[in-house]
Amino acid sequence: MNSTSTLSVWQQLKNREITCEEALRWLVDEEGTVTLSLLDVEVSYRFLREFPDRSTLPPLLPLLLWQNCFYLGCPVPVSLDTIRRLSDRTFTNIKIIPVTDKSYTTWYRTQNIDANRLSSQPFINPLTGEHEQENISEITRELLAKAVDQIGRIKTIISGALRNRASDIHLEPTTDGLRIRYRIDGILRDITLLPPEISRRAIVALKVMADMDIAESRRPQDARIGDKYTSGSESDLGLDMRVSTLPCVGGEKAVIRLLPRENPFAGMDELGFSDRTLTIYKGWLKQPQGMIIFTGPTGSGKTSTLYTSLQTVATEYVNVVTVEDPVEYILPRITQTQVHELAGMTFAAGLRAILRQDPDIIMLGEIRDHETAETAFRAALTGHLVLTTLHTNDAASAIPRLKDIGPDPGLISDALLGIVAQRLVRKVCPHCAVPYTPTEFDLKLLGIHPDQAKPEEWRVGKGCARCFHSGYSGREAIIELLDVDDTLRQIIYEGTMTQMYRYLAESGFESFRMAAIAKVTHGITTIQEVLRVLPHSAMSRRSVNLS
């Protein structure tokens, strides 16, 4: 076949440039694999328009129409009665060409997707009627080839991310083109590479969608995109996307954070708390006043825990107000405010304004400075339950960090109910999990005795299509909980960090290490995953109580 020709195989056949036998050989190889890029949409249209109700059709792939005969690819046997019925309906002869299942499902998928509409709907295999675990890279390339413009390509990339539970999309310029990566379960994965000739145009299309300045590529820009997407039987679900661009060698890098507006938060029981820590934590939320602090790095799940907690306490009897930067999810029964520093709406200013709004519960996005900290702690002492976040490695480190920011230690000790530190670990994939016998080295890493190990419950994932061959699927929080009792209040007020760590070790403090041991010995995650996310210091500390 002439590779430089812009005509489809059917068009070349109509022009008598090739024979029907040659056309079929180019379209379908000896194994039954169809070269979909050589098909002509007009052939599909002429055949399918005769069948408004396509559910009555067997799985047919229109290949050619020649001399009053439709050549149809099919991955399953077709009865003579069916062929006769098709012939009567189209007033043509019908010839069936065997094709592979994969060729048909790929063609079906490209025919039934709208590149201009976002969707998180998993693909259904048309031959089995079951949800199909997709090969992300392969399917993304197929659908990108079908997109007619750059915005269609961007929406195809976003839909792929939604289908595969990605939280972020990275578009990175390289010498070979624009590399597309998804962050799935906290790990970045290469998806595909857009050709160099369209890389810049794809970034410009994204900037147009985000209403950014497309003429400015020398400085970083930030914006938001609001759109609708389809999920299951629900359509027109809201989706917020935070878009950030950064000038770099080779062009501009863009990152898209996906924030579905539908409530993604489950109940308190599904956050990752142990039975004991959950009981303590729920007790804090029932207090009429005081402060609860959440600590952890970006991406550790603090927002999910905070928002789930707010939904638990946001009843008709209380006034819940937040000040956030940014507002990531819209929650019912909660008044949410956005920080706008250029307009003077800082965390401290927002908090002062909230205190004049008759609040019962306040959520403060982050404590960053002395003024905010002082106001927050005073609010927690004057009849308000305050929830906020802080960036520290673990729960205990929040105490010296608060003292550094500046509130009086007396305020801290009186107002603080407790501190929750957390990390997100990937869970062992349930579809490919197999038993695992812990080694002596494994037990040494966790610092436990063989009789505490519960070796019959340890599991690892072998890797399968459902978990992208990683052995992990989904995430769960490992939670460290510091409950501020009377002794700890006294230490916070006039003691040292050494005294505090000694007391925590003696009192059976629910540390990261204890939580990690529970997750591993119950087969929820693996030692390798725990070591990946927890700070080294968390596993090196020993507690008196390991139960």
Side-chain angles (χ1 to χ4, degrees), residues 126-301:
L127 300 177
T128 63
E130 299 175 353
H131 285 299
E132 184 177 39
Q133 185 57 47
E134 63 181 88
N135 180 319
I136 309 177
S137 297
E138 181 180 311
I139 289 179
T140 301
R141 285 193 292 269
E142 292 169 4
L143 300 180
L144 284 172
K146 187 175 183 290
V148 295
D149 55 23
Q150 298 304 331
I151 289 181
R153 288 190 174 94
I154 295 296
K155 290 196 172 186
T156 295
I157 292 168
I158 294 171
S159 289
L162 289 171
R163 285 195 307 274
N164 291 283
R165 312 186 324 273
S167 59
D168 302 85
I169 304 169
H170 290 235
L171 298 90
E172 305 167 345
T174 69
T175 54
D176 299 322
L178 190 68
R179 182 169 59 208
I180 310 298
R181 298 201 286 173
Y182 292 164
R183 187 176 293 280
I184 301 172
D185 290 338
I187 302 295
L188 278 171
R189 302 183 185 279
D190 286 350
I191 301 303
T192 191
L193 193 70
L194 296 184
E197 60 270 18
I198 66 171
S199 296
R200 173 61 188 159
R201 282 180 279 166
I203 294 293
V204 169
L206 176 61
K207 292 172 76 172
V208 169
M209 292 171 66
D211 200 22
M212 291 179 170
D213 183 355
I214 61 173
E216 180 57 79
S217 59
R218 298 166 298 175
R219 62 178 177 84
Q221 296 187 64
D222 295 287
R224 295 180 81 109
I225 301 173
D227 210 331
K228 303 287 186 182
Y229 74 102
T230 302
S231 178
S233 60
E234 299 183 74
S235 59
D236 292 331
L237 294 170
L239 174 67
D240 280 331
M241 292 169 275
R242 293 214 308 266
V243 183
S244 170
T245 63
L246 180 70
C248 63
V249 175
E252 285 182 283
K253 175 179 177 177
V255 175
I256 307 170
R257 165 64 62 88
L258 302 176
L259 301 167
R261 289 181 201 153
E262 66 169 332
N263 184 359
F265 306 110
M268 296 281 292
D269 297 337
E270 299 177 34
L271 289 175
F273 286 90
S274 67
D275 291 341
R276 181 182 174 212
T277 55
L278 183 60
T279 300
I280 295 171
Y281 181 65
K282 285 182 175 179
W284 296 350
L285 294 178
K286 292 176 182 176
Q287 297 300 310
Q289 67 180 48
M291 178 178 287
I292 303 171
I293 295 177
F294 298 82
T295 78
T298 301
S300 61

Side-chain angles (χ1 to χ4, degrees), residues 7 145 230 241 278 290 316 374 412 430 523:
L7 298 178
T230 302
M241 292 169 275
L278 183 60
E316 63 174 305
E374 187 87 17
I412 299 173

Side-chain angles (χ1 to χ4, degrees), residues 238-498:
L239 174 67
D240 280 331
M241 292 169 275
R242 293 214 308 266
V243 183
S244 170
T245 63
L246 180 70
C248 63
V249 175
E252 285 182 283
K253 175 179 177 177
V255 175
I256 307 170
R257 165 64 62 88
L258 302 176
L259 301 167
R261 289 181 201 153
E262 66 169 332
N263 184 359
F265 306 110
M268 296 281 292
D269 297 337
E270 299 177 34
L271 289 175
F273 286 90
S274 67
D275 291 341
R276 181 182 174 212
T277 55
L278 183 60
T279 300
I280 295 171
Y281 181 65
K282 285 182 175 179
W284 296 350
L285 294 178
K286 292 176 182 176
Q287 297 300 310
Q289 67 180 48
M291 178 178 287
I292 303 171
I293 295 177
F294 298 82
T295 78
T298 301
S300 61
K302 299 190 302 293
T303 298
S304 294
T305 303
L306 258 175
Y307 280 6
T308 303
S309 303
L310 287 176
Q311 285 189 294
T312 301
V313 298
T315 66
E316 63 174 305
Y317 309 110
V318 295
N319 177 24
V320 183
V321 190
T322 75
V323 54
E324 307 172 55
D325 184 24
V327 174
E328 294 193 5
Y329 298 95
I330 309 300
L331 301 178
R333 286 195 176 277
I334 295 174
T335 303
Q336 295 171 269
T337 62
Q338 168 83 47
V339 166
H340 194 310
E341 294 193 358
L342 293 177
M345 177 63 172
T346 61
F347 277 116
L351 183 55
R352 287 195 301 271
I354 285 172
L355 290 173
R356 296 190 289 272
Q357 291 279 312
D358 185 32
D360 297 290
I361 299 165
I362 300 169
M363 194 278 269
L364 181 65
E366 184 181 351
I367 291 180
R368 296 178 179 174
D369 53 52
H370 173 80
E371 183 184 9
T372 307
E374 187 87 17
T375 308
F377 275 100
R378 292 193 182 279
L381 285 172
T382 54
H384 308 95
L385 181 63
V386 179
L387 288 75
T388 187
T389 72
L390 202 62
H391 287 286
T392 62
N393 269 344
D394 53 35
S397 300
I399 303 298
R401 171 72 179 131
L402 286 170
K403 291 182 176 180
D404 287 342
I405 291 176
D408 184 271
L411 279 179
I412 299 173
S413 62
D414 287 346
L416 196 58
L417 293 172
I419 302 169
V420 177
Q422 68 180 72
R423 298 289 191 280
L424 289 177
V425 291
R426 293 177 294 169
K427 297 189 291 185
V428 174
C429 175
H431 304 287
C432 62
V434 295
Y436 173 76
T437 302
T439 65
E440 186 177 337
F441 182 67
D442 293 331
L443 302 183
K444 184 178 179 181
L445 284 174
L446 289 180
I448 58 176
H449 302 295
D451 57 347
Q452 297 172 300
K454 302 178 184 175
E456 68 281 358
E457 294 191 34
W458 289 49
R459 298 188 306 159
V460 296
K462 294 188 301 181
C464 63
R466 291 176 180 266
C467 63
F468 315 112
H469 302 282
S470 67
Y472 300 96
S473 179
R475 291 191 290 175
E476 186 169 294
I478 284 187
I479 291 173
E480 178 174 81
L481 187 138
L482 192 155
D483 187 19
V484 181
D485 57 17
D486 290 340
T487 304
L488 202 52
R489 292 187 197 284
Q490 190 67 27
I491 294 174
I492 291 171
Y493 181 60
E494 58 184 5
T496 64
M497 285 296 293
T498 303

